[in-house]
Amino acid sequence: MAGSNCTQATEFILAGFSEAPAIQVAQFLLFLLIYLVTVLGNLGMIALIRVSPLLHSPMYYFLGNLAFVNLCTSTMIIPRMMAGVLLGKKQITYAGCMAQVFTFDMLGMAECFLLATMAYDRYVAVCHPLLYPLVMSPERCSWLVTGSYLLGLANGVGQTIGMSSLFFCSSSAIDLFFCDISLLISLSTSDTTLSLSILRTSSSLLGVPSILVVLVSYMAIISTILSISSAEGKRKAFFTCASHLTTVSTFYGSLMFMYLIPRSDTSRGADKWVAVLYTVMTPMLNPLIYSLRNQEVKEAWRR
């Protein structure tokens, strides 16, 4: 039973990575470089979209919001992780862990729906180009983005309520570099029925529909591209979606590997690096992907 043999935790220990001093220095420098590239890349993308008339379109409006979410996600995780590596302080308060759960789950779900919205945008652009200005009007785009943030907020509140019902022993250690709700549930010494129900309901009602939108959109896009007779037309249609498809594959691929594939004790170490992929690397790579693969972005940078 909860609390029968231990006191409620007031802080958690984030295991992080290797404790070898030389490796820790290398890790700190690596994550510092990644964070600087992430901040500069996403802030640069947001600024470029705002000032360049060439990028005043629905696709780049969604991309600007995705860059904002990526920037917030990195700022929520990486500085705390670097402080732990540099200062050797692995403790995080219970309130700090709650804040991480709320922020991470809010931003993560908002990113899922932004990626789904961008997939729908590409579907309309490729499959129904004549209707594109009507379907993706500025008002509808604003509602889609607002809805993404609100659904993310609902997920963050729900997961935080689920965590608040859990009881942890004072010696609880999280074998990761941030507070992840699924790991916290497995560490709890109390009844996890409510938190598991919220997690599964959120995944079913929010996560699955966003993935389905992406899958259905790209099935229709691929079908349309294959029906195009000219090779040049196929190439243009493909490059219209290539950047977003790369981002979606990286984000959802790492999430599925982390949360859907059954884990064993020997695979726990690899989980940390998969978590690094979707929490640290993806926010850094997204602006680079769009800058290198998108002709309009490259033209806007040149101007």
Side-chain angles (χ1 to χ4, degrees):
M1 293 179 61
S4 59
N5 296 314
C6 62
T7 57
Q8 167 72 336
T10 58
E11 63 181 22
F12 297 93
I13 298 174
L14 298 176
F17 300 94
S18 173
E19 296 185 2
I23 296 178
Q24 285 188 326
V25 171
Q27 288 173 354
F28 175 80
L29 295 176
L30 175 62
F31 288 125
L32 176 61
L33 176 62
I34 290 174
Y35 184 60
L36 290 176
V37 173
T38 301
V39 171
L40 292 175
N42 285 287
L43 282 180
M45 184 63 70
I46 293 170
L48 183 68
I49 291 171
R50 289 184 64 88
V51 303
S52 175
L54 189 65
L55 303 182
H56 289 176
S57 66
M59 181 176 74
Y60 296 107
Y61 174 64
F62 299 138
L63 178 58
N65 282 275
L66 179 64
F68 172 74
V69 170
N70 288 161
L71 181 62
C72 292
T73 301
S74 295
T75 301
M76 183 266 298
I77 290 179
I78 299 181
R80 173 65 184 78
M81 181 169 55
M82 289 193 301
V85 172
L86 183 65
L87 304 176
K89 185 180 179 181
K90 296 188 175 183
Q91 294 81 7
I92 183 172
T93 63
Y94 181 84
C97 199
M98 290 274 284
Q100 273 201 345
V101 168
F102 169 75
T103 308
F104 180 75
D105 286 284
M106 176 183 68
L107 295 173
M109 189 58 69
E111 182 167 358
C112 287
F113 276 97
L114 283 173
L115 290 174
T117 300
M118 294 172 74
Y120 176 71
D121 171 78
R122 294 300 82 203
Y123 158 75
V124 178
V126 173
C127 301
H128 305 285
L130 298 180
L131 296 177
Y132 186 81
L134 177 64
V135 175
M136 303 305 295
S137 63
E139 294 79 11
R140 182 164 297 178
C141 292
S142 296
W143 278 110
L144 288 171
V145 169
T146 302
S148 298
Y149 287 125
L150 290 177
L151 290 170
L153 178 62
N155 184 57
V157 171
Q159 304 301 344
T160 306
I161 292 173
M163 181 178 168
S164 65
S165 68
L166 301 177
F167 187 94
F168 302 92
C169 286
S170 56
S171 59
S172 293
I174 303 172
D175 191 21
L176 206 60
F177 51 89
F178 69 98
C179 291
D180 178 73
I181 187 63
S182 60
L183 282 180
L184 288 166
I185 292 174
S186 66
L187 287 173
S188 176
T189 57
S190 62
D191 183 9
T192 60
T193 302
L194 175 61
S195 53
L196 282 173
S197 298
I198 293 175
L199 183 61
R200 290 165 181 166
T201 301
S202 175
S203 300
S204 301
L205 297 182
L206 299 178
V208 173
S210 66
I211 295 175
L212 288 177
V213 169
V214 174
L215 291 176
V216 172
S217 296
Y218 273 102
M219 287 174 61
I221 289 170
I222 292 172
S223 176
T224 300
I225 291 176
L226 292 177
S227 67
I228 298 175
S229 57
S230 68
E232 181 64 19
K234 290 182 179 180
R235 188 187 68 85
K236 287 183 178 180
F238 173 76
F239 276 103
T240 298
C241 310
S243 299
H244 179 257
L245 186 58
T246 304
T247 299
V248 166
S249 301
T250 304
F251 180 76
Y252 281 116
S254 56
L255 278 181
M256 290 178 181
F257 184 87
M258 182 72 178
Y259 294 111
L260 297 184
I261 296 179
R263 321 311 300 162
S264 64
D265 292 338
T266 56
S267 66
R268 295 297 178 183
D271 288 353
K272 295 180 183 180
W273 295 108
V274 176
V276 167
L277 179 61
Y278 74 83
T279 60
V280 176
M281 296 302 296
T282 299
M284 179 191 72
L285 292 174
N286 283 346
L288 298 179
I289 291 170
Y290 277 92
S291 296
L292 296 175
R293 297 185 64 90
N294 194 293
Q295 190 62 37
E296 291 177 330
V297 174
K298 289 191 286 187
E299 179 64 25
W301 279 118
R302 281 196 292 267
R303 291 186 181 184

